[in-house]
């Protein structure tokens, strides 16, 4: 990494295994060069928080996102005039797991990112039912609005979403486009302005961590704020070993 940093203006951290991202990021951030981190940001929520904090300490601009966020249909779904006021949404997509990280970090993140693209931030609690065919995670937003991610573990697995509004229901299917993500990465490198905020990214990962905790507690709703608070305390230990 140090040798490569001498040859580049910007960095794309593309290691498939998020568990090594914190170690790699520590080397990269010393250069002060802007960084895109491919999903997942890291292997645990505390490590995600530590990466953002270390980037801040080195005054490095970073962002991370799934390509699903930038799909033409998904990115504009919550603005569809046919909906009226957005009342809730469901997204779905292929769901596979990687041993050693929270279940949703590896591939379900694509559908979860789409859910937050539609619903926005502000998820309060998360509950989950994990089955051999489908893996369903339900988030509760303000005023009782529900955002649901349905992971397709077995069977036909397309990407799509349904938004529920005060005036209508809108259904879309859309495969992720890595090209659209790359265009956003290029724009970020030129402007230094991330298209997805740190706060939203942290909430997405807290949602996924809370989903695992819900399974551990038999499907009980888990408060996202509590998951974040616990992870922030653990992140301090990573920053100050």
């Amino acid at each position: 990494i140090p040798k490569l940093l001498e040859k580049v203006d910007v960095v794309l951290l593309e290691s498939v295994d998020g568990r090594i991202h914190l170690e790699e990021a520590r080397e990269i951030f010393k250069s002060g060069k802007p960084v895109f981190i491919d999903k997942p940001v890291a292997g645990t929520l505390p490590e995600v928080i530590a990466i953002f904090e270390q980037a801040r300490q080195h005054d490095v601009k970073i962002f991370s996102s799934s390509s699903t966020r930038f799909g033409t249909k998904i990115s504009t779904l919550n603005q569809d005039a046919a909906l009226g006021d957005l009342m809730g949404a469901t997204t779905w997509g292929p769901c596979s797991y990687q041993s050693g990280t929270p279940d949703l970090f590896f591939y379900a993140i694509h559908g979860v990112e789409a859910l937050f693209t539609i619903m926005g931030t502000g998820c309060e609690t998360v509950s989950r039912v994990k089955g051999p065919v489908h893996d369903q995670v339900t988030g509760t937003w303000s005023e009782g609005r529900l955002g649901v991610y349905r992971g397709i573990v077995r069977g036909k697995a397309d990407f799509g979403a349904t938004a529920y509004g005060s005036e209508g229901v809108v259904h879309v299917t859309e495969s992720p486009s890595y090209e659209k993500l790359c265009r956003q990465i290029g724009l970020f490198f030129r402007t230094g302005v991330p298209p997805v905020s740190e706060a939203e990214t942290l909430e997405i990962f807290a949602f996924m961590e809370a989903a695992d905790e819900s399974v551990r507690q038999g499907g009980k709703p888990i408060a996202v704020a509590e998951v974040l608070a616990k992870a922030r305390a653990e992140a301090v230990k990573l920053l100050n070993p």
Side-chain angles (χ1 to χ4, degrees), residues 176-205:
S177 168
Y178 204 75
E179 177 189 347
K180 289 185 174 65
L181 171 60
C182 287
R183 292 185 181 278
Q184 291 293 327
I185 294 169
L187 183 62
F188 161 69
F189 285 148
R190 293 187 188 96
T191 65
V193 179
V196 187
S197 70
E198 174 185 342
E200 181 161 357
T201 300
L202 290 180
E203 187 171 318
I204 288 170
F205 279 83

Side-chain angles (χ1 to χ4, degrees), residues 39-87:
K39 63 85 186 169
V41 178
T44 69
L45 179 56
E47 289 177 357
V48 173
I49 294 169
I51 283 177
F52 276 102
E53 182 56 36
Q54 290 202 339
R56 190 161 27 253
Q57 291 174 3
H58 289 277
D59 196 26
V60 171
K61 302 292 186 182
I62 67 169
F63 95 95
S64 179
S65 175
S66 160
S67 55
T68 53
R69 171 180 292 276
F70 303 109
T72 303
K73 297 176 182 178
I74 292 293
S75 64
T76 60
L77 181 54
N78 60 4
Q79 303 161 27
D80 194 310
L83 281 175
D85 296 328
L86 180 68
M87 310 298 286

Side-chain angles (χ1 to χ4, degrees), residues 142-236:
S142 61
E143 299 177 345
R145 294 177 301 135
L146 298 181
V148 178
Y149 165 70
R150 188 178 184 90
I152 303 170
V153 180
R154 287 171 45 199
K156 178 64 174 174
D158 290 327
F159 288 94
T162 299
Y164 306 93
S166 59
E167 302 296 329
V169 176
V170 180
H171 170 86
V172 300
T173 57
E174 183 172 40
S175 297
S177 168
Y178 204 75
E179 177 189 347
K180 289 185 174 65
L181 171 60
C182 287
R183 292 185 181 278
Q184 291 293 327
I185 294 169
L187 183 62
F188 161 69
F189 285 148
R190 293 187 188 96
T191 65
V193 179
V196 187
S197 70
E198 174 185 342
E200 181 161 357
T201 300
L202 290 180
E203 187 171 318
I204 288 170
F205 279 83
F207 176 97
M208 295 189 291
E209 177 61 47
D212 265 22
E213 185 61 28
S214 177
V215 168
R216 287 191 286 268
Q217 297 193 32
K220 174 185 173 182
I222 303 298
V224 172
E226 292 180 6
V227 169
L228 264 173
K230 179 181 178 182
R232 289 187 192 281
E234 294 175 2
V236 171

